[in-house]
Amino acid sequence: MRAVALYGTLGSLVLSALVAAPAGGADPLTAEARGVEAAAQRAAAAPIAFGRCPAQESLPASVQCGTVRVPLDYAHPTGRQIGLTVSRSRASGKPAERQGALVFNPGGPGASSMYFPMVAELPDWKRLAGAYDLVGYSPRGVARSAPLSCQDPGDFAKAPTQSPSHPSASYKRERIAQAKAYAQGCARNAGDALRFYTSINNARDLDVLRAALGEKKLTFMGASYGTYFGAVYATLFPSHIRRMVFDSAVDPDPDQIWYRNNLDQSLAFERRWEDFRTWVAKHDDVYHLGQSADEVLESYEKVRARLTREPAGGTVGPAQLQAAVLKAGYYDDYWASRATALSEYLKGNAEPLVQQAAPRPESARDDENGNAVYTAVECNDAAWPRDFATWDHDNTAIARVAPFETWDNAWMNLPCAYWPAPQQKPVDVRAEKGALPPTLILAAERDAATPYPGAVELQRRLPGSVLITEKKAGTHGIAGGANACVNGYVEDYLVNGRTPVRRASCAPHPEPNPVSLDERSAVRPQHVLPAL
């Protein structure tokens, strides 16, 4: 998945040495399954030694940090080990009220949840923070967890760059060359380790983390891509699950992982882009960008054209504009700030757009690292079309009706067409009836990053799961957000173990209020904690 990189997109099926285990649990005969068991036993015998967090984590004193060791290759559990960084805030309630650890993953692949324990200080998290140790971590390859890099961070953040909705043949050739070079950079930097960045290994690592936390059974909340490898975990380790929340579910059908999911996502972002433009048009008295979605599109295209001729601040070109506005497709918290930036730019004030869209040199290393892990995991997880003609045909057809995001999405994933490491057969996510405790699936009806049919498919594959739908809404990641109805279901499930019978719906959260440039200082800034 593109730009914010929350879950991803890839294609068909190729066999590999790491084949999914049957739904009843990990196959005890496989070397990898024995390796997970051995690693978990070691972790349980030597729990994480939590202490003061390193300064580079920028975490408050109330949060402790530690490390869990996991095998790079579970087929050789005593071989090379990598350290995964872990953060924790202790349950604040009475000892008798403690229910164990709640582990969170925000997606990606390539995202860290080391910040997660800080939500313990938020009023809406009081009951959960009282009942649980809140645990975050950086998955393999991310941040300080044996970091992966495929490209010089400075080159990755190079700007300004172009973002044509209907690219020319010469531009396509340029992007093919870049994709090949990126894939080669991943192989050169990671060496033989590259093939071990996979969703199935992320699930195995999660079981070792469970053991290292002293938990016999796992309580887990995954958002976006976190729902996918959480579902893989449920397939491989059903007897190890206590409670599990899947927030904004990836479609786990092996035929969708990942190429077809990517194509579906591009179509869904077109609808969400129209949602944003319709809202902007509704508030034309504030933004003066047009009184209809089509008129707002005309204003946006004017901005793109001007940035093509003269990048704002020397660094914001069409691609930087696209990446900034794409965030409005994920989270409607961005709608007011993005509309203000477009409006001010057309009035001659480029500063808000530069502030929102210009690359930040201080984050270049983290951004490149996240993209590298994203690429490695998704390229390894499944087979992608190896001929560009397939990509060209499929994305050209979709761009005719969904030009907003289609080709940028394709370029982000194109290194997978030239991937040098073995590509796996995707895990066939499923569980036997009665094998899992009740699990909770959350989905917004108009989510573009993980389109709603994926949540329906996940529920079909996990008998006993319950689907909570936020109707007529499209924010990606809805737990802990602005919808009290959704939050009530999540809290009741995690604290009391209660769920509705099979499905329930929540009315949409309120639309954002339009905010002019002068008024923004009075608005609470967007949180950087999980939109769970």
Side-chain angles (χ1 to χ4, degrees):
M1 189 166 80
R2 142 100 173 113
V4 179
L6 288 165
Y7 83 87
T9 42
L10 309 79
S12 316
L13 313 176
V14 161
L15 294 174
S16 83
L18 302 177
V19 179
D27 182 350
L29 299 180
T30 67
E32 290 87 355
R34 292 194 299 270
V36 176
E37 185 176 356
Q41 288 176 351
R42 285 199 306 269
I48 299 170
F50 283 103
R52 182 177 298 178
C53 294
Q56 60 262 48
E57 296 290 354
S58 300
L59 294 170
S62 58
V63 178
Q64 297 177 310
C65 292
T67 302
V68 59
R69 307 290 291 178
V70 300
L72 174 68
D73 176 6
Y74 279 95
H76 300 92
T78 60
R80 179 181 168 186
Q81 306 288 303
I82 56 178
L84 309 185
T85 61
V86 184
S87 59
R88 180 187 70 178
S89 65
R90 299 302 298 266
S92 59
K94 298 177 181 178
E97 298 172 341
R98 183 181 179 276
Q99 298 192 39
L102 170 60
V103 179
F104 174 68
N105 179 275
S112 169
S113 62
M114 289 292 287
Y115 59 83
F116 175 61
M118 290 195 295
V119 303
E121 304 301 322
L122 300 178
D124 289 347
W125 284 81
K126 183 176 181 180
R127 288 193 69 197
L128 289 174
Y132 288 97
D133 296 348
L134 302 183
V135 176
Y137 74 108
S138 290
R140 60 171 59 202
V142 178
R144 294 189 298 116
S145 296
L148 176 67
S149 174
C150 295
Q151 184 181 23
D152 180 86
D155 292 337
F156 179 77
K158 186 178 179 181
T161 49
Q162 299 301 310
S163 176
S165 299
H166 303 284
S168 66
S170 62
Y171 185 82
K172 291 173 183 177
R173 288 193 295 269
E174 179 182 337
R175 295 308 299 253
I176 290 170
Q178 291 175 6
K180 290 179 178 178
Y182 190 84
Q184 292 165 1
C186 294
R188 181 172 56 254
N189 290 349
D192 293 341
L194 184 61
R195 63 191 294 263
F196 299 110
Y197 295 93
T198 63
S199 292
I200 196 169
N201 277 340
N202 283 339
R204 291 165 175 155
D205 291 348
L206 185 59
D207 200 54
V208 178
L209 174 58
R210 170 199 60 78
L213 292 169
E215 302 294 327
K216 291 185 177 180
K217 295 196 174 186
L218 175 71
T219 302
F220 176 77
M221 179 181 288
S224 195
Y225 167 75
T227 70
Y228 178 63
F229 84 84
V232 172
Y233 183 93
T235 302
L236 299 179
F237 307 104
S239 64
H240 294 185
I241 293 173
R242 178 177 177 269
R243 290 172 192 162
M244 187 167 274
V245 178
F246 303 92
D247 185 5
S248 302
V250 172
D251 189 333
D253 185 337
D255 288 340
Q256 290 287 120
I257 304 296
W258 290 101
Y259 183 72
R260 291 186 180 95
N261 268 340
N262 202 23
L263 299 178
D264 290 347
Q265 187 187 66
S266 294
L267 287 165
F269 267 113
E270 194 69 24
R271 182 176 67 174
R272 192 63 179 149
W273 168 227
E274 186 174 4
D275 289 348
F276 168 62
R277 298 188 341 257
T278 300
W279 176 86
V280 173
K282 186 188 301 185
H283 300 291
D284 186 55
D285 59 330
V286 176
Y287 302 117
H288 309 293
L289 292 169
Q291 296 182 354
S292 69
D294 287 344
E295 290 181 358
V296 174
L297 179 59
E298 291 176 5
S299 294
Y300 177 74
E301 292 299 337
K302 288 180 183 177
V303 176
R304 277 173 56 99
R306 291 186 189 179
L307 294 175
T308 300
R309 296 190 300 268
E310 184 179 356
T315 60
V316 177
Q320 288 67 48
L321 170 70
Q322 168 73 10
V325 175
L326 180 64
K327 290 183 179 179
Y330 283 91
Y331 312 112
D332 54 25
D333 284 357
Y334 281 102
W335 285 7
S337 63
R338 295 305 186 258
T340 297
L342 295 172
S343 178
E344 288 296 311
Y345 179 82
L346 290 176
K347 294 176 186 176
N349 176 17
E351 187 59 27
L353 182 61
V354 173
Q355 289 179 352
Q356 295 177 37
R360 300 179 182 277
E362 65 273 16
S363 68
R365 186 173 299 278
D366 288 342
D367 292 344
E368 191 280 326
N369 168 242
N371 191 76
V373 176
Y374 166 87
T375 304
V377 170
E378 298 214 342
C379 293
N380 284 332
D381 267 1
W384 293 73
R386 288 292 190 170
D387 59 311
F388 182 72
T390 299
W391 294 71
D392 199 12
H393 174 272
D394 292 345
N395 287 281
T396 297
I398 291 176
R400 292 191 185 105
V401 295
F404 174 66
E405 171 60 7
T406 297
W407 276 108
D408 281 350
N409 209 352
W411 302 135
M412 180 169 182
N413 295 288
L414 189 57
C416 296
Y418 312 105
W419 198 243
Q423 293 179 316
Q424 302 183 42
K425 178 179 179 178
V427 172
D428 186 18
V429 166
R430 62 180 64 253
E432 300 286 350
K433 186 176 181 179
L436 293 174
T439 57
L440 198 65
I441 302 170
L442 312 175
E445 204 169 37
R446 297 181 70 82
D447 185 353
T450 51
Y452 186 75
V456 176
E457 178 66 16
L458 180 61
Q459 185 184 35
R460 187 184 73 81
R461 288 170 173 267
L462 300 182
S465 59
V466 176
L467 175 58
I468 309 296
T469 301
E470 185 180 20
K471 306 291 283 187
K472 299 179 182 179
T475 285
H476 181 62
I478 59 176
N483 195 310
C485 171
V486 172
N487 294 339
Y489 281 120
V490 173
E491 185 175 284
D492 197 26
Y493 172 66
L494 289 174
V495 175
N496 302 312
R498 290 194 293 254
T499 65
V501 175
R502 179 166 171 78
R503 292 190 179 181
S505 296
C506 291
H509 64 273
E511 286 189 340
N513 290 321
V515 179
S516 72
L517 187 64
D518 293 337
E519 294 168 331
R520 280 186 300 159
S521 60
V523 179
R524 180 173 60 86
Q526 161 135 349
H527 61 73
V528 294
L529 299 170
L532 300 181

